[in-house]
Amino acid sequence: MDQSKEQRILNSVSYNAVKGDPESVLDCIDNYCSQKEWAMNVGDEKGVILDKVVEEADPTIALEFGTYVGYSAIRIARLLKPNARLLTIEFNPEFASIAREIIEIAGLSEKITIIEGHSQDIIPQLREKYQVDKVDFVFLDHWKERYCPDTILLEECGYLKKGSILLADNIVYPGAPDFVKYIRSHKSFDCTNYPSHLEYMKVEDAMEKAVYMG
Ligand SMILES: O=C(NCCCOCn1ccc2cnccc21)c1cc(-c2ccc(F)cc2)cc(O)c1O
Ligand SMILES: [Mg+2]
């Protein structure tokens, strides 16, 4: 059976990256996806914005929706302080298993927990099953129509505290108009837009940061 694009990305990382070196894994994925096959990683341009917001948040508990092959999970986890951890949710089992291998190559398996399932089912389980009390940083990069309902669910479940930072990918392309409308009009969120480009393309895109004010 033909290999998937995601399997080919894993092959490239496994062959070219330096084991235990997250930067070399990120560079390998960016090189492969800009030169060989486009893939929906946040990429190196928007990745710099992600880095800056993660550094600003300096999270103890970080949450990500949309693991894919683990690129942004590695980007986030490489910046976390010693006892901090990232929980990342992926609903596609093939993607989850490929991400697990790529994260292992990056040497970040101890800091990252991949949870397989749908965000709407996992979010209510985070407290009991994953000992999560509050979430300091959330990266939204899954189905764009889930950004808004999942933000509401996070708030309703009481995971957001004063200063919790949300960062959403693909605000322009593919776009998340209902999320943007909701978050910018919500009195408890302080929003900032970061214009950028779609990963590996000249197409316009943007990220939106929303700080929860309690
Ligand atoms: O669609 C995208 N991402 C989402 C994947 C599925 O996510 C599903 N998914 C992952 C956890 C999870 C948890 N619960 C439910 C669904 C859950 C996505 C798409 C594009 C894109 C841009 C241009 C194109 F021509 C085609 C595609 C770019 C991006 O940066 C993206 O992030
Ligand atoms: Mg994205």
Side-chain angles (χ1 to χ4, degrees):
M1 220 253 285
D2 265 357
Q3 282 194 319
S4 67
K5 170 170 71 176
E6 293 73 24
Q7 184 64 50
R8 290 193 290 271
I9 292 170
L10 169 57
N11 295 345
S12 178
V13 168
S14 176
Y15 187 76
N16 296 303
V18 174
K19 302 286 179 287
D21 179 353
E23 299 292 339
S24 90
V25 171
L26 295 174
D27 289 345
C28 176
I29 295 171
D30 284 330
N31 291 335
Y32 186 85
C33 295
S34 42
Q35 291 160 22
K36 302 278 189 329
E37 298 186 81
W38 185 91
M40 60 181 172
N41 313 115
V42 74
D44 45 351
E45 185 182 328
K46 289 187 286 180
V48 168
I49 300 166
L50 174 59
D51 290 352
K52 288 190 181 123
V53 176
V54 171
E55 285 165 348
E56 173 193 344
D58 188 23
T60 301
I61 300 291
L63 178 63
E64 174 183 65
F65 300 120
T67 314
Y68 190 42
V69 297
Y71 179 92
S72 47
I74 290 166
R75 242 192 133 113
I76 294 164
R78 83 191 204 288
L79 299 174
L80 296 180
K81 55 199 171 206
N83 299 324
R85 57 192 175 110
L86 169 67
L87 302 173
T88 178
I89 301 170
E90 179 51 56
F91 92 110
N92 180 311
E94 194 219 348
F95 293 170
S97 96
I98 286 170
R100 203 163 283 117
E101 292 192 61
I102 291 178
I103 287 164
E104 176 62 25
I105 292 168
L108 290 168
S109 298
E110 304 312 305
K111 299 182 89 67
I112 301 170
T113 304
I114 300 177
I115 304 170
E116 285 187 45
H118 279 241
S119 50
Q120 63 194 53
D121 304 327
I122 304 292
I123 290 170
Q125 299 173 340
L126 290 174
R127 191 168 280 107
E128 288 75 32
K129 273 186 83 175
Y130 301 92
Q131 295 71 52
V132 171
D133 175 31
K134 299 292 183 192
V135 184
D136 307 299
F137 175 77
V138 185
F139 183 47
L140 299 108
D141 195 21
H142 58 332
W143 284 334
K144 310 315 162 191
E145 63 277 9
R146 287 301 313 173
Y147 284 17
C148 192
D150 285 343
T151 297
I152 293 167
L153 193 51
L154 284 170
E155 201 185 355
E156 281 171 353
C157 291
Y159 294 122
L160 301 182
K161 69 178 187 191
K162 190 170 168 32
S164 291
I165 297 180
L166 309 183
L167 182 67
D169 189 25
N170 309 118
I171 291 306
V172 172
Y173 195 87
D178 62 324
F179 170 76
V180 171
K181 187 169 182 292
Y182 172 80
I183 204 83
R184 289 183 185 170
S185 58
H186 193 303
K187 63 185 177 352
S188 298
F189 286 101
D190 187 30
C191 299
T192 310
N193 185 263
Y194 297 92
S196 186
H197 295 91
L198 181 67
E199 49 268 27
Y200 318 116
M201 304 291 285
K202 291 190 175 9
V203 172
E204 189 193 331
D205 192 11
M207 298 176 101
E208 188 89 357
K209 180 178 78 170
V211 182
Y212 190 64
M213 311 310 281

